[in-house]
Amino acid sequence: MNELTLQAFEHFVGRFGTEVDTRLREARTAEDVEAIRVEYLGRANGKLTDYQKQIPTFSGEERKLAGQQFNAVKKLIEGRLAETLTELSRVTRLSVPDVDLTMPSRSQFRGAEHPVTVVIEEIVEIFREIGFTVATGPEAETEWYNFTALNFPPDHPAMDMHDTMYLAEDVVLRTHTSPVQIRSLQAGPPPIRVVIPGNVYRLDPFDASHAPMFAQIEGLAVDEGISFVDLKATLTHFATRFFGATRTRFRPSYFPFTEPSAEMDVECRLCKGSGCPACKGTGWMEILGSGMVHPNVLDAAGVDSEKYTGWAFGMGPARIALQRYGIPDIRVLYDSEMRFLGQVAR
Amino acid sequence: MNASYEWLREFTDFDLTPEQLRDVITSRAATVEEVISLRADLRDVVVGLVVEARPHPNSDHLWVTKVDAGMGELLDVVCGAPNVQAGSKYPFAPSGSTLPGGLKLERRKIRGETSNGMLCSARELALGTEHDGILTLHTDAAPGTPFLDAFPAGDTRFVVDVLPNRPDLLSHEGLAREISAYTGNDLHMPEHPGMSAAPAFEHGTSDGSTGGVRVSIDEPSACPLYTATVIRGVRIEQSPEWLANRLISIGLRPINNVVDATNYMLHGFGQPMHAFDLDRLRGPEIHVRNARPGERITTLDGVERKLDPTMTVIADADRAQAIAGVIGGSESAVSDATSNILLEVAVFDPRSVRSTRRALGTSTDASYRFERALDAHASAELARYAAALIISLAGGRVDGAPIAVGSPGPSPHQLSLRVSRVAKILGEHVSAPECMRLLGSVGFGVNSGENEMLRVTPPRWRSDVALEVDLIEEVARLRGYDSFSDQLRPFRVGSAPDSPAYVVTRRVTRALVEAGMMEVRPIPFVADAGEHGVRVLNPLAESEALLRTSALQTLARRVEHNFAHMTRNVRLFEVGVVFSRGPDDRIPVERTVTAAVISGDRSPAHFTDPRPAQMDIWDAKWIAETIVRSAFGQSGQSGPELQPNAARDGWDVVHDGSTIGTVGPIPVDAPVWAPPVFGIEIDLTAAFGIVPEPVVYRPLPVTPAAEFDLALLVPADVVAADVARVIRTNSGEMLESLVPFDEFRGAGVGDGYRSIAWRLTFRHPERTLRDKEIEGRRARILRALNEELGVRPRTT
Ligand SMILES: [Zn+2]
């Protein structure tokens, strides 16, 4: 072996420490460990032992440092060899017949978000990526916010779509999250890009498919130059992200607060569009309602409807949760049973 | 709205299958929710090709055939029809199928020869009465094709979801108009045998008479237009098959020729009509007036109804004979004995009809259409058509000139449509000529004005079109929503920050989920909410008439629900809203709270620990601290504190001097085996807007710690917090942690005392602490504890 600089000596010797450590991880028996010991620390031709012979080639302070480095590494290797032997003997001890390793693990209680919250959060996340923030508002609203400002004609059949719970003559439990659209429009000048999750109330008897309170999430985008193309593009993007690659369809609909109004369907995932009982043979699943914000709504909120345009959408996360988990009865979502919550916890 | 495929064809030609028609209507006008084949009873029948036919060896009138029914093998079928011929196709019902009328076919032997089904006659398929033999099919369809695909048998019903903005679609004519706009084929009045024009109308302003009947409108605001046609000498009979079939196809029951004709008009054209038995009308007179207080009427459905003066009725000289726009009375209903009728074709005010039917709690096909406003300008013409139809069905003649009282009101206004605005809303340029073509296809009158500005007059039946944006919607749907691009374009991002309520809700939710809690979203209605409760004026049930003032109240019921299902380990939380009466008793005060309940085992049972410890108030305290920390941030300096409240065996959560929450055991209606239940409820409002302080790294200590324990005898009136405070003040800066790790009462500890053992950990940031320094601190702490609190070290 050539004479080395102290730096090189320390480098090579130090490297054996990590090398042995790596090798020992693969050792399965005491024999493996012994072979590694001989390879590095063997009296004759041990890899580390060979370097001991280099120490005398240094002089003075360097010789002392080289010796220290050598001993430190040797001690480290010896320690790891001993530890490994102990570990291996412990494994052996565990294998004795009176420990039955087929017994169950020791678990912890887990927590989980409600399935409807999970769906809402997934939706919020997708819209966040494209510049939306989250807005909320009160659940008890005046009729003005809930209906009038949203262009509901008074005493019109359109009102029949909202069976309303009243708290006072002109105060209602909001029938949709759309009042928050008005509040967001009032709060600041466009650009407005918000998603609005929240609970809404309808005077519907509690049965397998109706609940008097349920979650809704809607979105609103208002700025100069926003159009029906933006509505289609953004909601198609959402459908692609949320439901995976799938076809969408937009068809005419009616909401007092949007015009043109459109319902968005995605291809039925059960039948891939060929028609099945789940989609009533149409091949499509209804996902959300949407439309261009009606100029009367912008005007009611004090936004110039000639200058600004916008679009909005709304959907029911509970329905998505029911579909996703195959739950046949919506009341399951309200029962608050540990058995159910544990079942759907992620 | 139910529509029939065949009925639509009366109005316009189209070459579309029912499925194609469904897609056309759905994509352009209104959603078709269901397509129902009305001959579902023929669904098992297929096209069968007779490959071979030879006489039956044991019969002189039967045939033994081999039939290709598309099943991959030829089937032996015995047939008794004289007209069976090799090489021809017939409807074939394989064994296992069920024929109309319920006959289930089995594989069986007929005089020694096996038969695997049946070749069918028209009568056997309920397609007519002909029974001269089996039905020969002249079709190219392959053997095995469903019979209904190859043979035009039976009608198809469409269930159309017509939304409130499109009352014009509540008729076959209206739907056919949209179909004709798609196909380009013209829209025309249906033609029926024996119809000839009825006499034209005479017009009156508020009263007049026809055929010896005086007609007056006392309430023109409720009834802008009333037409009456007197037809004498009708014969009431069953309707002919074509008419009965029309009504059956949309789910109605035929009654008699006159009533069926009025129903045909309602569903064909969207104009409700009513025929009175003229001889039952006193006077004979017709008055459109308000109901009298306490007036009663028995309606066609056999119900006696009490009326009030807000309702409009059609009355004879004496009494109400119909409720305007809603339902007719039974007294003057057309019966088998009727020979003279008065045909009412009127227009009633939408709001008036709406309020009446709401007050009566009944909705009819007629009220549904009046409420949504119909085309008043068509009413007189439709009355003429209906009179002609009735005479063609029931005979008779019109007596005198029919009369129309009132006026149909104004026609729709002309609107301006800017081509530039179309592009602005829809995002794609739609040229002026294209806008004109699209709008024109459904009856809009369009003139091109200056500067890409169109002058548009909506058709009379589109009273919903009143603004420019309404026209833009028409352009979009007629062009087809699918024709617009869905490519993302550049946009400006939103600048409003996330709602503080949402941000705090998310922080708390995540923290509680990490702590092993299950989130719930229960209904917030309760039966009792105390004096501050907010009542729903029109609740679903008295048991849920109030909004909760406490979320814990809701969760307590949810715990009981879990106990009822034998679940004893319960860990639920909710972040939700509670309501209390507002200062003006009008708008309630809403607060966002988080509530949690825990009960049962602290960890899942394991064979190494079959009876895990049960949760207690200390777990509840931890949950409360978790909520506070996640909502208000880590610092803990300015945040809420948990103050002991002996009265509830728990704590109050106090923030800025006011109580914002509670922690402790809660009462529930629990079975005997149930573990104790602990509840936490904390108002999060004060946390809104708080941004948790950033966490700052502190270098990990490199010097060793010095620990010692103090076992202290603490008098009953001294609390641990006081002991801790005294220890801290006398420990100096080097005290790193102070933990009470044991508490003991009883033997060896005097009455009125308890022993608390504390572990103190000291550390100097730069050097090892000397024993002398530790000893000095211990002595100082013990001295102060004794002087200030009477706390002494415990000597065994
Ligand atoms: Zn499907």
Side-chain angles (χ1 to χ4, degrees):
Chain A
M1 195 180 284
N2 293 324
E3 285 186 16
L4 298 169
T5 62
L6 176 64
Q7 200 181 7
F9 178 88
E10 288 184 335
H11 172 76
F12 287 121
V13 168
R15 207 175 55 183
F16 289 133
T18 42
E19 217 174 276
V20 169
D21 200 49
T22 313
R23 295 281 305 278
L24 281 174
R25 265 172 235 189
E26 277 147 37
R28 290 287 167 272
T29 63
E31 287 71 34
D32 296 344
V33 178
E34 176 58 14
I36 294 167
R37 193 194 65 76
V38 171
E39 185 180 340
Y40 287 88
L41 303 182
R43 206 171 288 269
N45 298 327
K47 283 180 179 170
L48 184 67
T49 319
D50 284 352
Y51 277 85
Q52 195 168 16
K53 297 162 192 156
Q54 290 278 327
I55 298 172
T57 67
F58 297 108
S59 56
E61 184 65 15
E62 286 201 343
R63 182 185 299 178
K64 189 177 151 201
L65 289 171
Q68 281 174 357
Q69 168 76 352
F70 180 88
N71 286 327
V73 172
K74 189 175 177 192
K75 200 171 162 191
L76 183 83
I77 290 175
E78 284 167 347
R80 282 294 296 128
L81 287 166
E83 276 171 32
T84 309
L85 281 174
T86 319
E87 280 164 22
L88 288 174
S89 71
R90 189 176 302 146
V91 172
T92 315
R93 202 173 64 232
L94 271 175
S95 319
V96 298
D98 65 343
V99 175
D100 179 353
L101 297 179
T102 65
M103 292 288 271
S105 63
R106 180 180 289 120
S107 60
Q108 305 268 311
F109 282 136
R110 292 191 311 147
E113 287 178 6
H114 190 274
V116 168
T117 306
V118 170
V119 171
I120 291 174
E121 283 310 304
E122 285 177 25
I123 296 168
V124 166
E125 252 349 279
I126 292 170
F127 280 95
R128 261 190 205 295
E129 290 167 7
I130 44 177
F132 284 75
T133 58
V134 179
T136 56
E139 295 182 8
E141 276 286 13
T142 59
E143 271 194 312
W144 189 85
Y145 274 105
N146 197 74
F147 292 126
T148 314
L150 289 163
N151 196 38
F152 276 75
D155 202 19
H156 185 269
M159 300 282 284
D160 293 351
M161 304 197 293
H162 292 238
D163 286 319
T164 309
M165 289 194 226
Y166 281 84
L167 301 179
E169 200 193 337
D170 61 342
V171 179
V172 303
L173 283 167
R174 66 178 178 191
T175 57
H176 47 184
T177 42
S178 308
V180 187
Q181 287 191 22
I182 304 296
R183 294 181 178 276
S184 298
L185 288 166
Q186 288 174 329
I192 290 165
R193 250 171 124 79
V194 288
V195 280
I196 305 157
N199 290 331
V200 303
Y201 299 79
R202 299 278 170 94
L203 195 59
D204 273 331
F206 209 2
D207 62 26
S209 47
H210 298 89
M213 181 207 81
F214 53 94
Q216 207 173 55
I217 181 164
E218 67 181 73
L220 172 72
V222 174
D223 201 355
E224 283 183 71
I226 299 260
S227 73
F228 188 65
V229 167
D230 299 306
L231 176 158
K232 277 191 68 178
T234 314
L235 294 177
T236 302
H237 168 79
F238 163 73
T240 311
R241 289 275 281 104
F242 190 83
F243 295 103
T246 183
R247 293 193 305 140
T248 58
R249 171 177 88 165
F250 289 81
R251 56 189 160 82
S253 189
Y254 169 69
F255 307 102
F257 40 99
T258 56
E259 184 153 23
S261 298
E263 206 82 39
M264 183 177 81
D265 301 335
V266 298
E267 192 174 80
C268 174
R269 276 177 298 172
L270 296 176
C271 64
K272 300 272 179 276
S274 59
C276 69
C279 56
K280 286 187 181 165
T282 62
W284 297 98
M285 293 291 229
E286 188 178 320
I287 292 304
L288 55 81
S290 65
M292 297 301 295
V293 180
H294 198 288
N296 289 355
V297 172
L298 295 172
D299 292 340
V303 172
D304 181 351
S305 62
E306 273 295 309
K307 185 173 177 192
Y308 294 107
T309 48
W311 58 268
F313 76 91
M315 63 197 295
R319 253 205 4 220
I320 293 173
L322 295 184
Q323 274 176 27
R324 175 180 292 186
Y325 300 97
I327 301 168
D329 188 329
I330 199 170
R331 286 170 289 199
V332 170
L333 295 177
Y334 297 86
D335 277 347
S336 314
E337 267 207 61
M338 290 296 291
R339 295 183 300 174
F340 164 73
L341 298 165
Q343 202 182 72
V344 296
R346 287 191 293 191
Chain B
M1 162 82 194
N2 286 355
S4 128
Y5 183 83
E6 294 299 335
W7 198 338
L8 290 169
R9 286 167 85 98
E10 287 185 356
F11 287 93
T12 186
D13 265 352
F14 48 83
D15 189 17
L16 300 164
T17 65
E19 283 66 34
Q20 289 169 327
L21 190 61
R22 171 192 69 197
D23 291 345
V24 167
I25 297 173
T26 296
S27 65
R28 298 169 57 93
T31 299
V32 176
E33 294 189 318
E34 253 181 301
V35 178
I36 302 166
S37 166
L38 297 177
R39 291 310 306 270
D41 54 352
L42 296 181
R43 135 188 96 222
D44 294 340
V45 180
V46 298
V47 173
L49 170 69
V50 172
V51 176
E52 182 191 303
R54 58 184 169 82
H56 193 291
N58 305 322
S59 162
D60 58 358
H61 68 277
L62 292 176
W63 297 82
V64 179
T65 67
K66 290 207 178 289
V67 174
D68 177 359
M71 295 174 184
E73 53 169 340
L74 296 181
L75 303 173
D76 292 318
V77 176
V78 176
C79 174
N83 65 330
V84 66
Q85 245 182 352
S88 288
K89 292 173 184 167
Y90 306 95
F92 174 68
S95 52
S97 62
T98 305
L99 285 180
L103 176 68
K104 176 144 192 200
L105 296 177
E106 308 280 357
R107 181 166 184 246
R108 63 187 181 115
K109 288 217 163 179
I110 300 173
R111 297 206 187 170
E113 293 289 326
T114 303
S115 188
N116 291 294
M118 186 165 136
L119 296 163
C120 306
S121 69
R123 195 165 77 181
E124 281 153 351
L125 298 180
L127 290 170
T129 50
E130 216 171 299
H131 200 34
D132 295 343
I134 51 179
L135 180 66
T136 308
L137 300 176
H138 304 283
T139 175
D140 296 334
T145 305
F147 172 69
L148 288 172
D149 290 356
F151 189 84
D155 202 348
T156 303
R157 181 189 301 163
F158 298 85
V159 181
V160 189
D161 182 19
V162 176
L163 297 172
N165 63 326
R166 291 298 304 273
D168 64 303
L169 298 179
L170 290 170
S171 72
H172 284 78
E173 184 188 31
L175 289 170
R177 185 179 294 115
E178 295 288 342
I179 298 166
S180 94
Y182 173 77
T183 59
N185 298 336
D186 68 333
L187 182 74
H188 48 76
M189 292 296 271
E191 284 162 21
H192 300 292
M195 277 180 67
S196 50
F201 276 82
E202 276 181 10
H203 290 271
T205 47
S206 65
D207 60 4
S209 66
T210 180
V213 184
R214 205 172 81 79
V215 175
S216 72
I217 304 181
D218 302 347
E219 284 304 321
S221 66
C223 177
L225 179 68
Y226 193 96
T227 80
T229 305
V230 170
I231 305 175
R232 294 190 185 271
V234 295
R235 289 180 315 278
I236 306 301
E237 294 172 343
Q238 272 195 354
S239 289
E241 198 169 338
W242 74 263
L243 178 54
N245 280 342
R246 289 284 174 270
L247 300 183
I248 290 167
S249 71
I250 59 166
L252 295 179
R253 191 168 52 86
I255 295 168
N256 61 48
N257 46 10
V258 169
V259 172
D260 293 351
T262 60
N263 277 330
Y264 175 85
M265 294 305 293
L266 186 155
H267 295 277
F269 298 90
Q271 169 71 59
M273 301 189 178
H274 185 66
F276 293 98
D277 184 332
L278 182 55
D279 301 319
R280 303 291 191 108
L281 296 180
R282 291 164 191 80
E285 288 171 19
I286 288 283
H287 298 277
V288 183
R289 60 160 169 83
N290 289 338
R292 298 182 178 126
E295 192 167 9
R296 285 170 186 273
I297 181 172
T298 301
T299 47
L300 285 170
D301 50 5
V303 178
E304 191 189 24
R305 297 174 189 277
K306 206 176 142 216
L307 306 174
D308 69 59
T310 67
M311 300 172 182
T312 309
V313 297
I314 317 302
D316 60 15
D318 257 13
R319 67 183 73 162
Q321 292 294 348
I323 303 169
V326 181
I327 191 166
S330 58
E331 187 186 17
S332 56
V334 171
S335 70
D336 290 351
T338 301
S339 57
N340 302 312
I341 62 170
L342 182 139
L343 177 66
E344 164 197 295
V345 178
V347 177
F348 298 107
D349 175 62
R351 289 190 188 195
S352 158
V353 172
R354 181 172 163 79
S355 85
T356 301
R357 73 100 179 137
R358 281 159 73 108
L360 293 173
T362 188
S363 177
T364 60
D365 285 338
S367 70
Y368 196 82
R369 282 162 180 79
F370 282 123
E371 259 189 77
R372 283 157 178 76
L374 44 79
D375 175 11
H377 294 267
S379 301
E381 204 45 50
L382 290 173
R384 262 185 100 181
Y385 185 95
L389 179 62
I390 288 170
I391 291 168
S392 79
L393 296 167
R397 57 178 179 80
V398 174
D399 183 7
I403 188 160
V405 181
S407 101
S411 296
H413 297 294
Q414 192 185 61
L415 302 169
S416 299
L417 177 63
R418 291 165 292 171
V419 173
S420 63
R421 185 73 181 169
V422 174
K424 192 168 181 178
I425 300 283
L426 300 183
E428 278 181 20
H429 179 70
V430 184
S431 69
E434 197 186 349
C435 290
M436 292 176 72
R437 182 182 65 75
L438 293 170
L439 291 168
S441 72
V442 286
F444 286 77
V446 193
N447 293 308
S448 96
E450 309 225 316
N451 301 328
E452 296 272 277
M453 168 90 86
L454 304 180
R455 305 256 169 237
V456 185
T457 309
R460 300 167 332 223
W461 54 86
R462 290 303 301 276
S463 54
D464 60 297
V465 176
L467 300 171
E468 184 183 43
V469 71
D470 299 330
L471 296 172
I472 295 173
E473 179 171 61
E474 291 296 301
V475 169
R477 75 172 178 89
L478 293 166
R479 187 177 190 250
Y481 284 1
D482 285 341
S483 73
F484 291 89
S485 163
D486 58 6
Q487 294 303 302
L488 273 173
R489 294 172 177 177
F491 55 83
R492 295 200 287 173
V493 300
S495 50
D498 280 341
S499 133
Y502 174 78
V503 171
V504 172
T505 299
R506 290 303 301 155
R507 284 208 301 260
V508 171
T509 300
R510 275 193 291 261
L512 288 174
V513 166
E514 268 175 38
M517 303 289 290
M518 292 290 189
E519 192 205 1
V520 297
R521 302 179 71 106
I523 303 270
F525 297 114
V526 293
D528 178 20
E531 56 173 326
H532 301 296
V534 179
R535 176 171 280 278
V536 178
L537 298 183
N538 53 337
L540 278 166
E542 208 43 44
S543 62
E544 35 198 59
L546 288 129
L547 289 164
R548 65 185 181 184
T549 48
S550 146
L552 215 40
Q553 190 183 0
T554 311
L555 291 191
R557 302 292 86 75
R558 297 295 96 209
V559 172
E560 288 162 4
H561 181 81
N562 275 280
F563 285 166
H565 289 84
M566 312 305 286
T567 304
R568 62 189 296 284
N569 297 331
V570 181
R571 308 175 315 280
L572 305 176
F573 80 95
E574 184 198 350
V575 185
V577 172
V578 297
F579 302 80
S580 55
R581 287 237 290 270
D584 57 356
D585 245 9
R586 191 170 145 256
I587 301 175
V589 176
E590 274 175 53
R591 307 192 72 83
T592 300
V593 303
T594 185
V597 285
I598 54 174
S599 183
D601 296 343
R602 190 170 297 140
S603 60
H606 188 246
F607 69 94
T608 56
D609 181 17
R611 268 181 296 279
Q614 292 200 343
M615 289 194 278
D616 55 26
I617 52 168
W618 306 110
D619 299 281
K621 191 178 187 189
W622 163 247
I623 295 294
E625 287 168 354
T626 301
I627 294 167
V628 166
R629 193 177 55 249
S630 58
F632 290 84
Q634 300 278 348
S635 74
Q637 292 304 309
S638 55
E641 280 177 10
L642 267 58
Q643 290 184 359
N645 182 331
R648 70 161 101 259
D649 290 332
W651 296 267
D652 292 333
V653 184
V654 178
H655 180 61
D656 275 349
S658 55
T659 300
I660 62 164
T662 59
V663 185
I666 57 166
V668 299
D669 192 358
V672 284
W673 50 261
V677 181
F678 303 91
I680 301 101
E681 175 160 3
I682 299 175
D683 187 336
L684 299 177
T685 317
F688 291 179
I690 288 185
V691 180
E693 285 169 24
V695 176
V696 179
Y697 167 78
R698 279 165 288 130
L700 300 178
V702 288
T703 52
E707 284 180 358
F708 67 85
D709 295 348
L710 287 178
L712 300 175
L713 284 175
V714 181
D717 60 344
V718 174
V719 296
D722 289 336
V723 177
R725 177 180 48 76
V726 171
I727 294 176
R728 284 183 194 285
T729 21
N730 291 283
S731 294
E733 287 173 2
M734 275 173 284
L735 180 69
E736 187 176 82
S737 79
L738 172 65
V739 182
F741 67 89
D742 191 23
E743 188 193 34
F744 178 74
R745 288 182 175 84
V749 180
D751 272 357
Y753 283 89
R754 62 182 163 146
S755 160
I756 305 178
W758 302 76
R759 175 153 302 157
L760 293 78
T761 306
F762 289 88
R763 196 192 301 269
H764 191 286
E766 277 137 30
R767 58 175 174 79
T768 306
L769 283 166
R770 287 184 288 275
D771 290 349
K772 218 164 66 185
E773 292 173 294
I774 302 295
E775 273 315 310
R777 282 187 169 73
R778 177 201 288 269
R780 191 162 80 225
I781 291 164
L782 289 175
R783 195 163 53 243
L785 283 169
N786 195 15
E787 283 168 8
E788 294 181 35
L789 302 172
V791 169
R792 291 176 287 111
R794 181 177 173 200
T795 50
T796 38

